[in-house]
């Protein structure tokens, strides 16, 4: 039976996430050994590197912070290009909403929704396929019970402009009658799909129907859809063609963790 006790190394914090370890004697039987401080220091810093994930070689080095505390558009674009496929990065004009901004807003929306549905159970209905990122993150922060369902209803196809005539590809798997329905969408553009879908569900005698979206592109709202109330909207979206965080162009860019704006030449020739 070994009863020897090994003392832990004593570290001295030198800042910037780096710790310098001093050699510490270790007693094994009657033999005194010294732990190599340089080796421990290297192992500790390597652990830090792994925790931060491996950084691409083209990752921007110096973080540029503006007077308001936010990082510059140029820096955010460099970060985006370094962390996505090169073919996609080259087509990005700018980053419209960063990953950090999205997550902060999603938590804020989840808190509001949780308060509004307190004491009730609701059905979270995601509009495929765009809602997958927003819906997944939103429900992680929810504090009220819910079930999940999906609807596939589209008016875009592979183009950049809504056709205005929704096509139902997949209905809900459960009967919505008597249930509180929360429709979750990535972006509301002309609003035609949501206008049609809300009327469709209203005819099924739901207890209530509310709408949550990450981006609200009010500049593109059609006349007939102006009456549709958006209960929970994350950001106002300018009249740009945006991708990422659920939004795509011809099936690409969908799961980028930020919202980016495509260069016109990336989609106008398609």
């Amino acid at each position: 039976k070994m009863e020897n006790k090994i003392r832990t190394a004593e570290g001295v914090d030198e800042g910037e996430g780096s710790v310098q370890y001093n050699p510490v004697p270790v007693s094994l039987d009657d033999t005194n050994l010294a732990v190599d401080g340089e080796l421990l220091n290297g192992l500790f810093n390597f652990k830090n590197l792994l925790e931060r994930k491996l950084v691409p070689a083209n990752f921007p080095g110096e973080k540029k912070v503006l007077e308001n505390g936010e990082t510059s558009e140029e820096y955010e674009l460099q970060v985006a290009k370094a962390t996505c496929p090169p073919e996609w990065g080259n087509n990005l004009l700018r980053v419209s909403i960063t990953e950090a901004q999205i997550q902060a807003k999603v938590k804020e929306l989840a808190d509001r929704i949780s308060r509004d549905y307190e004491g009730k159970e609701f059905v979270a209905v995601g509009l495929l396929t765009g809602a997958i990122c927003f819906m997944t993150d939103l429900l992680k922060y929810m504090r009220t019970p819910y079930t999940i369902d999906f609807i596939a209803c589209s008016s875009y196809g592979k183009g950049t402009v809504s056709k205005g005539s929704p096509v139902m590809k997949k209905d809900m798997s459960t009967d919505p009658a008597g249930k509180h329905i929360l429709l979750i969408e990535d972006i509301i553009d002309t609003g035609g799909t949501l206008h049609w879908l809300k009327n469709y569900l209203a005819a099924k005698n739901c207890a209530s129907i509310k709408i949550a979206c990450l981006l609200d592109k009010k500049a593109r709202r059609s006349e007939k859809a102006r009456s549709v109330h958006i209960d929970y909207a994350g950001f106002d979206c300018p009249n740009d063609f945006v991708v990422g965080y659920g939004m795509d162009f011809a099936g690409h860019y969908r799961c980028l963790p930020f919202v980016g704006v495509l260069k016109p030449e990336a989609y106008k020739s398609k």
Side-chain angles (χ1 to χ4, degrees):
K1 181 179 179 181
M2 178 178 281
E3 297 181 351
N4 301 299
K5 296 181 180 179
I6 302 177
R7 288 188 292 165
T8 58
E10 297 173 351
V12 179
D13 191 349
E14 293 189 340
E16 299 298 327
S18 176
V19 174
Q20 180 67 47
Y21 281 94
N22 297 321
V24 177
V26 178
S27 176
L28 292 175
D29 294 326
D30 295 325
T31 305
N32 287 325
L33 302 176
V35 177
D36 191 323
E38 185 175 343
L39 173 61
L40 280 178
N41 185 56
L43 290 174
F44 182 83
N45 290 330
F46 182 64
K47 168 182 167 289
N48 273 354
L49 175 63
L50 292 179
E51 287 178 347
R52 294 191 215 108
K53 300 180 182 179
L54 294 177
V55 180
N58 62 334
F59 197 83
E62 184 178 353
K63 188 173 184 178
K64 300 175 183 178
V65 181
L66 304 177
E67 291 183 359
N68 60 4
E70 297 181 356
T71 51
S72 68
E73 286 188 7
E74 178 186 358
Y75 177 82
E76 294 298 343
L77 182 59
Q78 289 176 342
V79 172
K81 288 183 175 182
T83 55
C84 72
E87 299 86 349
W88 295 0
N90 292 336
N91 289 333
L92 291 173
L93 179 64
R94 67 177 181 277
V95 174
S96 179
I97 309 172
T98 67
E99 181 179 4
Q101 290 171 329
I102 290 173
Q103 291 303 316
K105 182 61 69 173
V106 170
K107 290 179 182 179
E108 177 188 314
L109 292 175
D111 186 58
R112 286 177 53 198
I113 294 170
S114 295
R115 291 198 305 267
D116 290 351
Y117 281 100
E118 187 175 359
K120 304 174 185 176
E121 180 173 312
F122 66 91
V123 184
V125 181
L127 271 66
L128 296 173
T129 304
I132 54 171
C133 295
F134 177 47
M135 181 177 182
T136 301
D137 283 346
L138 185 69
L139 296 181
K140 285 178 184 177
Y141 302 118
M142 211 64 69
R143 301 191 311 275
T144 50
Y146 58 85
T147 58
I148 295 175
D149 211 327
F150 295 95
I151 284 179
C153 184
S154 176
S155 63
Y156 274 90
K158 292 186 178 180
T160 61
V161 180
S162 173
K163 299 174 183 176
S165 301
V167 176
M168 176 70 80
K169 299 178 179 178
K170 179 198 176 302
D171 204 343
M172 289 178 61
S173 300
T174 55
D175 184 1
K179 298 177 181 177
H180 298 285
I181 304 297
L182 177 65
L183 291 172
I184 301 177
E185 178 67 295
D186 55 346
I187 182 171
I188 299 179
D189 194 339
T190 65
T193 299
L194 266 298
H195 179 265
W196 182 89
L197 192 54
K198 193 167 185 179
N199 290 337
Y200 174 80
L201 290 173
K204 294 181 176 289
N205 301 313
C206 303
S208 67
I209 303 171
K210 291 187 176 183
I211 299 173
C213 70
L214 180 71
L215 300 181
D216 187 3
K217 190 181 283 190
K218 297 177 181 177
R220 293 265 304 150
R221 193 78 82 248
S222 66
E223 190 63 36
K224 69 176 182 179
R226 293 187 186 278
S227 60
V228 177
H229 176 64
I230 311 302
D231 302 273
Y232 310 100
F235 302 92
D236 288 333
C237 182
N239 195 21
D240 296 313
F241 193 77
V242 292
V243 293
Y245 203 68
M247 291 157 283
D248 75 311
F249 172 60
H252 291 203
Y253 311 97
R254 194 180 294 281
C255 285
L256 295 176
F258 54 86
V259 174
V261 177
L262 281 186
K263 296 176 181 177
E265 58 267 28
Y267 58 86
K268 282 190 175 181
S269 60
K270 305 298 182 182

